[in-house]
Amino acid sequence: MSEAGEGRIFHSPNVVAFCLELNSVKRQDGRLYHQYIAEPVCFTSLIEALGQMGGFYDELQFPFAATAPRSLKKGQSRK
């Protein structure tokens, strides 16, 4: 495996690596990685991280939202 490909998970296209760097009462900083991006997606709260992951899975259509797009916020749907 080449250096550029090290650390990537090639056998599962829907895996997100969740790296939490700071965990305090007010903030949770970290990065998300998946095989479709070269640079990490940074976040400053767990809700933001889950929203980023939800958007990624919506783009992949995995798992398929059978009747309507999913959302983490009550009363809202993704468009």
Side-chain angles (χ1 to χ4, degrees):
M1 186 181 302
S2 70
E3 284 184 33
E6 285 184 26
R8 291 191 179 181
I9 302 170
F10 291 104
H11 62 278
S12 186
N14 57 352
V15 170
V16 174
F18 179 92
C19 301
L20 187 62
E21 297 173 348
L22 171 71
N23 185 22
S24 70
V25 173
K26 294 183 180 183
R27 287 184 65 144
Q28 302 83 34
D29 292 351
R31 296 169 287 159
L32 300 172
Y33 296 91
H34 54 78
Q35 73 177 23
Y36 299 101
I37 55 173
E39 298 296 320
V41 175
C42 297
F43 60 87
T44 58
S45 75
L46 295 179
I47 298 299
E48 183 182 349
L50 291 171
Q52 296 277 0
M53 291 171 67
F56 168 66
Y57 286 125
D58 281 346
E59 286 181 33
L60 287 181
Q61 297 181 5
F62 180 86
F64 183 71
T67 58
R70 300 173 297 269
S71 176
L72 296 171
K73 295 182 180 181
K74 198 170 190 173
Q76 293 183 348
S77 66
R78 294 179 185 259
K79 294 181 181 174

